[in-house]
Amino acid sequence: MIHFVLLISRQGKVRLTKWYSPYSQKERTKVIRELSGVILNRGPKLCNFVEWRGQKVVYKRYASLYFCMCIDQEDNELEVLEIIHHFVEILDRYFGSVCELDLIFNFHKAYYILDELLIAGELQESSKKTVARLIAAQDSLVETAKEEASSISNIIAHATK
Amino acid sequence: MADLIINPFSSGTRLRDMIRSIRACKTAAEERAVVRKECAAIRAAISENDHDYRHRNLAKLMFIHMLGYPTHFGQMECLKAIASAGFPEKRIGYLGLMLLLDERQEVLMLVTNSLKQDLNHSNQYIVGIALCALGNICSAEMARDLAPEVERLFQSRDPNIRKKAALCSVRIIKKVPDLAENFMSPAAVLLKEKHHGALISGVQLCTELCKVSEEALDYLRKKRTEGVVKILKDVVNSPYQPEYDIAGITDPFLHIRLLRLLRVLGQGDADASDYMNDILAQVATKTETNKNAGNAILYECVETIMSIEDNSGLRVLAINILGRFLSNRDNNIRYVALNMLMRAIAVDAQAVQRHRATILECVKDSDASIRKRALELVYLLVNDSNVKPLTKELIDYLEVSDQDFKGDLSAKICSIVEKFSLEKIWYIDQMLKVLSEAGNFVKDDVWHALIVVISNASDLHGYTVRSLYRAFQTSGEQESLVRVTVWCIGEYGEMLVNNMGMLDKEEPITVTESDAVDVLETAIKRHTSDITTRAMTLVALLKLSSRFPSCSQRVNDIIVEHKGNFVLELQQRSIEFNNIIERHQNIRSILLERMPVLDETTYNGRKAGSLHTTAQASTGSSISLPNGDVKPTAAPLVDLLDLSSDDTPAPSSSGVDPLQDLLGVDLTSTPSLSGSSKAPVDSLLDLLSIGTTSVQNDSSKLDVLSASNSSTQSANPLDMLSSLSSSLATPVSAPGSSAPMMDLLDGLSLIAPKTDTVTFTSPGLSETNGSVYPSITAFKSSSLKMEFSFSKQPGNPQTTLIHATFSNMSSNNYTNFIFQAAVPQFVQLHLDPASSNTLPANGKGSIKQNLKVTNTQQGQKNLAMRVRIAYKVNDKDMLEQGQINNFPPGL
C-alpha cells in the first residue's frame, strides 16, 4: 500500500502531502525534511527508488516538482511510477497543461483529484476519464450551491436579517 | 468573489490573496508575520462562529498547515463544516479532516455520527466523500461502528460508490481483522464487475481478505481461482480500449492487481497454481517490454511465478526475464531485477549464481540504491566455493568506493569473512585489508572479534604483528587499524623486533625496538586518536617498557607527557603507569606478562544471536583451549558442549548417538576416538572425560583418557571405568547405572560439577531481581523434594537464574549428595557448586544450588530439563531421576 504521497518543489517546498498511515505532526515534518534531503540531492540519471526506513520511496520529477510515494518493501515500484504518471496526466487534463503555480493556488483541487484516485493508499480508478468526470460533477455541484447563495433573493434575505 | 458580495465589509483576505502575500515574503520572519496575522483573523472568525467564511478559512488553514504551522484550533471547524448541510462545506470539511487530523486524535470520534449520516445520504457524491474520508483516516473504533454502513453500500447502484466502499473495507479489515467475514461475499461479487474501478477495488479487497483471514483465503481459492484467471485472460486479450490503454496495454493496473491476487491464491496450493500456469506463461512471454507499464506487469508476473507452487518451466522463464532486466540500461529495471533476484535465490540459487559477475558490477554502480541492493544480494550469494574471489573483489572495490558507502560495504565484508573464515590466516589477512581501507567505518565489535582471534592464533602472533606494523605505515589514519596495531605491539612487540614465528611466505623486515615505540608514539600523538585509542596505547607502552628495557626511559617520557591530561582516564593511567615504571621495577615484569589467551567461547557467548562467529567457524579453536593459562574453569564447559554440537558436521554414521556428536569436537586432538566409541559405556566415558578435563582444567587427563580409550576398543569398559574413577570428577556409583545414564543423556548435554574441584563462583548470581516467575516444585519423590525459583538478569532475557533448594523428606541423613542436570541442545546450562553435600533428615536443612540456563530459542521453545540426583543413605548408593517439564512458560 501507499503510505504517503508527497509533492515537493525543487526548492524543498511542500506542495501536497497525503498520509494514509498514521504519522504524528512531528513525524510528518521529520519525514518531509529527511526525504527532501535525500531525493532532491539525487542525480538525474539514477533510479527512481530510494530505500528508506525499511520502506521504499518511489519518486519522479516533473518539471520543478518531485512526486513521491512511499510504499512497502514488497510492492511493485514500477507500477507506482505508473500511478504517479497517471496522477500527473489527470492533473494535466484538469488544469490544462498543469504547472507548479496551478497546484499552489488550487492545492485543494489537487487534493480532490488525488482523493478520486487513491483511497486507503490503494488505487481506486484506472480510467482518467472517469476521474475527470467525477471531479467535474462535484465542481459543478459546488458552483450551483454558490450561485444559489449569491442569488439576489439571498442577498436581500441576508441584508434584512 | 461570491463571499465578498455577501459581506463587502469583511476584513478577511481571499485565499488567493493570502497565498500571494505569503509567496511574496522575502524572509522566514516575514512569512511568519503574515501567517500569524491570518491565523489571528481565522481564530476571530471561529470565535464569532462565522458561517459565511468557514469554507474559505478552512482552505487557508490547510495551506498554512502545509507550510508547517500549527493549526489545531481549526479542527473543530472541520467538524462543523462536515455537519453542515451543503455539499461545498462538506467537501472542504472532509478534506480538512483528512489533512489536519490523523486517526490517533480523539476529536475524530466526534465525526463518527456525521459520517454515519453522510454514508446514508441520498446524494451519491456526499456518500463518496464520506467513504473517502473514512477509508483514509478511520480508526479501529470507527471501523467497528461504521462497518455495517459500508457493507450496505456494496449494494449501491453507482459503481463509483461500490469501488469506494471496497477500498474503505480494505482499511476496515486492516484495522479490525475480525470484520473480514462480513465482507467476504460482497467482495466475491465485485469480482464479476465490468466497471474497471469497481473490479480493481474488488480484487484489492479480495487480496487483503486473503491476508487477514484463513477462511476467506480458502473460500476464494476454491471458488474463485478460475474466475480470477478468466478475468486476467480477458484483460490480457482485450482489444484496444482508449480509456484504459497505457503504452498499448489495456489497464496495466488491473493486470498487476490480478497477478497479485493470483499469487496469494497460488501460494502453497498446487491445484490453484496449476490453474494459472497457462495465463502466467502467456503474460510472461507476450507482454511488451519497451515501456515501463509492460515491465511493471512482467515484474509482478515474475514475482507471482516465484511465489506459487513449483513449475520448473515457468521458473526458467522468470529467471530469464530477470536476466534480461539485469542487463537493461534503465536503472529502474536493474534495480527491480536485483530486488527480485534476492527473492529468487531461495528458489533457485544456481540460476542466480550465473549472474554473479553482473551483480558484482552493480555493487560498483554510481547509484546508491542499486549499490545497496546489489551488495545485499552478493552477501546472499557467497558460499564456501566463491568466498575468496568475491571477498577479493569487494575489498578491491572498498579502496575506490564512495566514503558514505564504505560503512555498509565494510560491514558486509566483515560479516562474510567472519561467516566463511576458512583459516585464521586468511581471516586475519582479510580483516587487515578491510581495516586498512575502512578502519574508520567499522563497528567496534569487528576489531574486538579480530583481537580475540589473533589472541587465539598463537602460531600467527608474529606474522600478525608484523603485518599490522606494515599496514600502520601506510594506513595510520584508520582508527580501528591503529587500535589493533597498538594492542598487538603491546602484546607481541618482541616478535615484531625479532622476526619470531616467521611464515614461509613472509618477507623479513627489520624493526628496531625504538621503531616499535615510534608506532605507539605516533598513535598517541595523532590528533584524531580518541580516548580509547590513547588509553590502549598507554597500556601498550607500559608493556613495552618491560619487554624493551632499553626503551624504558623513552616510554616513561611519553607516559609522563600525559600526566596532565584533561581526560581523567588518561591522566590516571599515566600517573599509575609512571609509578609502575619508576618505583616497582621488581614486580613490573610479572605484572606486565602477556595477556592470557582471550576466551573465544565467552566472547562469542556475549555476542549472542550471531551464530556464525569467527571462533566457531575456525578450525582448531578447541585445541588452544587447554593451554595452562589462567582460564575461567567451569563456565566454558557449558559453552563448549553447546559449541561442539553446532560444529561437528554429523560424523561417520547416521545412527550414531547424538551424544557423540556432542563430544566429538572437544576431542579433536584424538581423532581416532569418534570412530571408536560405539558402546554406550564408551560414550559415558567420553562424557566423564570432558567433565574431568574441563572442570579440573587439566589437559593431560584428556590425553590419558582418550589414548586409552582409542586403544582398547574391545576391552571391558568397566575396567576402564574403575581405573579412571580416581580422576573422575563425578563418582560413578555403580556399573549398572550407566544404562539409565545413557537415557538421561540421549540428545542432551550433561554437566556434572563436583563441589570441591570447582572453585569457580559466580558473583552476583544469587542476587534477587524480584522474580517475576512463580516458583515450582521441580521434583518430588517420597524421600526428596526439589524446588526451583527463578530470576532474570537485567539486560539478558535469555538467561534465567534458577535457585534450587533440596530438602530431605526421609528420616535418614543423605551424604555425598550430587545433583546433575541435562538440557536440550538449544539450552546452555551452568551449574554452580552446591551449598553442601550432606542433607539432614526430616527437612531440617536444605542444600541450595544455583543453575544458570540460557535458552537460545527463548519464546519458541520452552525449557526442559532432566535431573539425576545421587546420594548415599547409610553408605548405600541411591539414585533418583526425573524430567522437569513444568517450567513457567517464556523462560
Side-chain angles (χ1 to χ4, degrees):
Chain A
M1 89 176 252
I2 296 168
H3 295 283
F4 55 80
V5 178
L6 286 185
L7 261 66
I8 311 173
S9 78
R10 217 165 39 150
Q11 289 78 32
K13 293 252 189 240
V14 180
R15 296 302 178 210
L16 182 148
T17 58
K18 187 88 184 172
W19 309 85
Y20 297 102
S21 291
Y23 292 83
S24 69
Q25 288 306 334
K26 228 180 178 170
E27 287 167 324
R28 291 181 186 184
T29 327
K30 198 159 164 251
V31 167
I32 294 170
R33 195 171 351 105
E34 260 180 49
L35 273 182
S36 46
V38 175
I39 289 171
L40 299 181
N41 286 326
R42 277 176 68 86
K45 291 266 170 61
L46 307 182
C47 71
N48 296 84
F49 318 125
V50 177
E51 288 177 37
W52 177 79
R53 294 197 195 168
Q55 292 169 335
K56 282 184 231 171
V57 177
V58 178
Y59 71 93
K60 188 150 191 201
R61 183 176 163 183
Y62 287 88
S64 59
L65 270 186
Y66 285 85
F67 289 69
C68 317
M69 292 189 180
C70 174
I71 53 169
D72 288 319
Q73 276 295 344
E74 66 272 9
D75 285 336
N76 188 329
E77 302 90 342
L78 298 179
E79 192 214 8
V80 176
L81 277 180
E82 217 48 57
I83 293 181
I84 290 176
H85 190 70
H86 193 57
F87 180 40
V88 173
E89 282 194 324
I90 297 173
L91 287 174
D92 202 49
R93 249 180 234 197
Y94 182 80
F95 288 105
S97 174
V98 66
C99 68
E100 194 181 336
L101 279 181
D102 290 326
L103 298 185
I104 295 172
F105 285 103
N106 292 297
F107 67 94
H108 50 296
K109 301 271 174 65
Y111 278 107
Y112 292 142
I113 292 173
L114 187 60
D115 281 342
E116 286 299 333
L117 194 66
L118 300 175
I119 288 184
E122 310 279 0
L123 185 76
Q124 61 165 320
E125 186 53 69
S126 52
S127 156
K128 297 188 266 280
K129 221 164 103 187
T130 310
V131 174
R133 198 160 43 76
L134 288 170
I135 293 289
Q138 294 178 63
D139 282 352
S140 70
L141 216 57
V142 172
E143 284 309 314
T144 333
K146 269 191 184 169
E147 271 163 30
E148 265 174 37
S150 59
S151 65
I152 302 292
S153 59
N154 231 314
I155 294 176
I156 295 167
H158 212 271
T160 53
K161 193 161 65 178
Chain B
M1 306 169 291
D3 301 352
L4 281 181
I5 301 166
I6 297 172
N7 186 351
F9 307 107
S10 158
S11 61
T13 43
R14 292 185 303 165
L15 173 63
R16 185 166 283 270
D17 295 334
M18 182 195 82
I19 295 175
R20 264 202 203 106
S21 55
I22 287 177
R23 279 172 58 77
C25 293
K26 294 268 186 314
T27 64
E30 267 180 63
E31 185 185 287
R32 276 198 296 276
V34 174
V35 169
R36 207 180 306 125
K37 200 167 135 247
E38 285 292 342
C39 283
I42 296 170
R43 277 173 198 265
I46 290 174
S47 58
E48 282 165 23
N49 208 3
D50 182 344
H51 297 278
D52 303 328
Y53 292 106
R54 181 173 286 145
H55 185 276
R56 179 210 276 175
N57 285 342
L58 270 177
K60 281 183 183 172
L61 269 180
M62 283 181 231
F63 191 84
I64 291 171
H65 175 86
M66 218 160 31
L67 295 174
Y69 294 94
T71 50
H72 47 272
F73 55 87
Q75 291 175 350
M76 287 311 289
E77 283 298 285
C78 294
L79 304 197
K80 285 184 195 156
I82 291 170
S84 59
F87 178 77
E89 286 79 18
K90 278 188 190 293
R91 195 187 195 196
I92 197 97
Y94 278 119
L95 185 60
L97 185 77
M98 289 186 280
L99 220 57
L100 306 182
L101 279 86
D102 71 72
E103 64 174 272
R104 282 173 300 199
Q105 270 150 330
E106 285 178 9
V107 186
L108 205 56
M109 288 306 292
L110 300 175
V111 89
T112 311
N113 215 25
S114 304
L115 269 170
K116 194 170 199 158
Q117 280 171 12
D118 286 345
L119 290 175
N120 290 316
H121 207 280
S122 57
N123 184 326
Q124 50 171 334
Y125 296 110
I126 291 181
V127 178
I129 51 176
L131 273 173
C132 179
L134 185 63
N136 286 346
I137 57 163
C138 89
S139 59
E141 285 102 352
M142 289 167 79
R144 269 182 226 282
D145 290 345
L146 297 172
E149 264 68 32
V150 177
E151 201 187 323
R152 198 181 46 74
L153 287 171
F154 278 87
Q155 314 290 333
S156 164
R157 266 191 294 162
D158 184 351
N160 293 312
I161 297 297
R162 294 201 294 271
K163 78 182 180 198
K164 287 188 160 77
L167 289 184
C168 200
S169 317
V170 169
R171 170 118 179 171
I172 289 175
I173 59 174
K174 268 185 192 161
K175 293 283 163 199
V176 191
D178 300 348
L179 291 170
E181 60 178 317
N182 302 3
F183 293 102
M184 242 162 71
S185 50
V189 171
L190 279 183
L191 292 180
K192 295 185 179 129
E193 287 276 356
K194 286 279 169 278
H195 185 277
H196 276 223
L199 184 54
I200 276 194
S201 309
V203 172
Q204 288 176 102
L205 177 56
C206 287
T207 314
E208 198 57 40
L209 278 170
C210 291
K211 283 187 198 158
V212 299
S213 153
E214 201 56 44
E215 197 188 341
L217 175 60
D218 250 21
Y219 170 79
L220 289 168
R221 187 179 269 161
K222 294 219 171 66
K223 305 272 176 178
R224 299 291 159 171
T225 306
E226 277 175 282
V228 177
V229 169
K230 178 151 188 319
I231 304 171
L232 183 55
K233 245 179 214 153
D234 289 347
V235 67
V236 167
N237 299 322
S238 90
Y240 175 70
Q241 292 184 34
E243 196 175 346
Y244 298 106
D245 187 82
I246 295 178
I249 300 167
T250 304
D251 205 341
F253 303 113
L254 183 57
H255 272 87
I256 287 168
R257 276 164 185 72
L258 286 166
L259 286 167
R260 201 172 292 162
L261 177 56
L262 285 179
R263 173 158 79 239
V264 178
L265 296 177
Q267 219 158 18
D269 188 293
D271 288 343
S273 300
D274 263 358
Y275 275 132
M276 54 190 85
N277 277 341
D278 290 348
I279 187 66
L280 291 180
Q282 192 189 342
V283 173
T285 45
K286 295 274 164 61
T287 310
E288 279 293 329
T289 59
N290 44 14
K291 285 278 166 52
N292 181 56
N295 285 327
I297 294 176
L298 270 182
Y299 178 47
E300 197 70 36
C301 186
V302 168
E303 185 160 6
T304 301
I305 291 173
M306 291 294 178
S307 305
I308 64 168
E309 290 309 292
D310 193 24
N311 176 313
S312 45
L314 275 181
R315 293 227 162 129
V316 171
L317 211 57
I319 297 274
N320 287 343
I321 293 174
L322 291 183
R324 280 210 312 274
F325 273 17
L326 201 56
S327 51
N328 200 305
R329 276 212 309 254
D330 184 343
N331 277 335
N332 289 342
I333 307 293
R334 284 200 298 152
Y335 176 89
V336 297
L338 290 169
N339 205 12
M340 189 52 70
L341 282 170
M342 248 167 93
R343 276 174 248 182
I345 207 165
V347 177
D348 189 352
Q350 218 43 48
V352 182
Q353 290 281 5
R354 277 204 298 278
H355 299 294
R356 202 170 62 221
T358 325
I359 296 166
L360 213 50
E361 281 311 302
C362 292
V363 175
K364 304 170 188 171
D365 202 276
S366 58
D367 187 333
S369 297
I370 290 186
R371 275 201 309 251
K372 196 155 171 259
R373 257 316 98 209
L375 187 59
E376 302 269 326
L377 188 54
V378 167
Y379 182 68
L380 294 178
L381 282 177
V382 177
N383 59 28
D384 285 325
S385 58
N386 62 21
V387 57
K388 281 198 172 172
L390 273 180
T391 315
K392 185 172 180 312
E393 281 272 356
L394 293 180
I395 290 179
D396 288 348
Y397 179 59
L398 190 58
E399 291 172 30
V400 292
S401 65
D402 282 359
Q403 290 296 317
D404 45 353
F405 190 49
K406 278 192 171 148
D408 278 348
L409 187 56
S410 57
K412 278 280 184 284
I413 297 175
C414 293
S415 172
I416 291 172
V417 172
E418 284 191 11
K419 194 165 153 193
F420 292 95
S421 64
L422 310 166
E423 56 244 331
K424 285 196 173 178
I425 184 162
W426 183 79
Y427 172 85
I428 291 172
D429 280 345
Q430 306 311 312
M431 292 309 272
L432 292 199
K433 281 187 204 162
V434 173
L435 292 189
S436 313
E437 288 306 330
N440 288 331
F441 299 93
V442 300
K443 297 223 165 56
D444 279 353
D445 53 349
V446 169
W447 64 267
H448 290 169
L450 177 60
I451 285 185
V452 173
V453 171
I454 293 175
S455 159
N456 278 283
S458 50
D459 47 339
L460 297 174
H461 286 166
Y463 169 74
T464 310
V465 69
R466 285 187 293 275
S467 310
L468 280 166
Y469 178 81
R470 284 197 195 96
F472 183 86
Q473 309 300 330
T474 53
S475 315
E477 75 287 352
Q478 305 287 352
E479 190 83 33
S480 29
L481 180 81
V482 172
R483 287 184 191 170
V484 178
T485 312
V486 160
W487 189 85
C488 285
I489 289 183
E491 293 299 318
Y492 315 118
E494 73 279 10
M495 296 181 145
L496 172 66
V497 176
N498 305 337
N499 274 333
M500 265 151 73
M502 219 40 186
L503 300 186
D504 295 340
K505 66 169 191 173
E506 239 185 298
E507 281 173 35
I509 55 169
T510 335
V511 184
T512 65
E513 294 184 350
S514 101
D515 287 342
V517 179
D518 280 345
V519 170
L520 298 186
E521 191 173 4
T522 323
I524 204 166
K525 291 195 170 150
R526 225 171 48 116
H527 65 279
T528 50
S529 290
D530 64 3
I531 302 172
T532 313
T533 313
R534 285 171 204 239
M536 286 175 77
T537 317
L538 282 175
V539 175
L541 280 166
L542 179 64
K543 292 209 157 194
L544 285 194
S545 78
S546 141
R547 309 256 153 90
F548 302 156
S550 62
C551 294
S552 184
Q553 189 49 47
R554 191 176 153 210
V555 165
N556 197 17
D557 292 344
I558 302 174
I559 290 178
V560 167
E561 279 175 35
H562 288 83
K563 265 178 146 178
N565 201 301
F566 289 131
V567 182
L568 178 64
E569 174 71 25
L570 298 182
Q571 190 182 80
Q572 183 170 357
R573 283 192 194 211
S574 5
I575 291 173
E576 287 172 354
F577 293 175
N578 177 235
N579 271 347
I580 293 173
I581 295 176
E582 284 180 354
R583 288 203 235 142
H584 301 283
Q585 301 279 353
N586 47 339
I587 56 161
R588 187 170 67 180
S589 57
I590 315 163
L591 200 62
L592 302 179
E593 269 185 2
R594 192 175 289 170
M595 274 277 282
V597 172
L598 299 169
D599 189 52
E600 292 183 65
T601 45
T602 4
Y603 176 75
N604 293 327
R606 248 183 288 135
K607 273 174 78 182
S610 59
L611 285 172
H612 298 281
T613 44
T614 56
Q616 292 190 353
S618 59
T619 52
S621 60
S622 52
I623 299 174
S624 59
L625 195 70
N627 58 3
D629 277 321
V630 190
K631 303 267 302 169
T633 46
L637 175 61
V638 185
D639 297 338
L640 217 64
L641 285 171
D642 194 61
L643 174 99
S644 50
S645 64
D646 281 351
D647 266 5
T648 320
S652 48
S653 66
S654 56
V656 177
D657 190 306
L659 182 60
Q660 286 178 13
D661 299 4
L662 219 68
L663 300 169
V665 159
D666 277 294
L667 305 173
T668 38
S669 54
T670 61
S672 57
L673 184 84
S674 58
S676 69
S677 48
K678 286 279 188 277
V681 181
D682 278 358
S683 319
L684 177 62
L685 264 178
D686 294 355
L687 177 81
L688 293 173
S689 72
I690 286 181
T692 320
T693 50
S694 307
V695 172
Q696 298 185 341
N697 194 25
D698 183 348
S699 56
S700 66
K701 290 262 168 43
L702 177 67
D703 295 333
V704 172
L705 264 177
S706 40
S708 57
N709 193 0
S710 51
S711 62
T712 55
Q713 264 193 54
S714 57
N716 183 353
L718 295 183
D719 289 349
M720 287 186 48
L721 257 185
S722 56
S723 70
L724 289 168
S725 56
S726 60
S727 68
L728 295 181
T730 316
V732 179
S733 41
S737 69
S738 57
M741 186 146 176
M742 271 315 293
D743 287 347
L744 194 72
L745 296 171
D746 193 12
L748 300 164
S749 53
L750 185 129
I751 302 105
K754 192 186 170 204
T755 343
D756 49 0
T757 49
V758 181
T759 51
F760 181 88
T761 50
S762 42
L765 284 193
S766 51
E767 68 187 348
T768 47
N769 301 314
S771 61
V772 282
Y773 296 96
S775 300
I776 58 168
T777 302
F779 179 81
K780 192 174 181 187
S781 69
S782 57
S783 48
L784 187 71
K785 191 166 99 172
M786 171 169 75
E787 283 181 297
F788 280 2
S789 63
F790 307 94
S791 64
K792 289 265 185 198
Q793 279 176 313
N796 195 355
Q798 291 192 334
T799 302
T800 312
L801 296 175
I802 302 179
H803 313 281
T805 312
F806 304 90
S807 31
N808 182 348
M809 325 267 284
S810 75
S811 51
N812 299 311
N813 286 345
Y814 296 164
T815 56
N816 293 23
F817 187 92
I818 289 172
F819 166 71
Q820 296 172 312
V823 290
Q825 287 184 355
F826 64 87
V827 179
Q828 295 178 0
L829 171 64
H830 168 72
L831 282 181
D832 281 353
S835 59
S836 152
N837 65 352
T838 49
L839 190 55
N842 300 324
K844 281 188 190 136
S846 60
I847 294 181
K848 292 190 189 303
Q849 188 163 14
N850 284 343
L851 295 77
K852 187 159 73 167
V853 293
T854 305
N855 185 350
T856 56
Q857 299 194 25
Q858 192 199 24
Q860 295 160 34
K861 292 193 180 172
N862 279 334
L863 276 184
M865 188 182 282
R866 285 194 197 169
V867 294
R868 180 172 176 274
I869 300 158
Y871 52 88
K872 285 192 177 190
V873 183
N874 301 331
D875 257 350
K876 203 174 135 227
D877 282 320
M878 299 295 284
L879 183 70
E880 299 201 39
Q881 46 193 0
Q883 183 155 356
I884 309 172
N885 290 324
N886 58 339
F887 283 101
L891 279 181

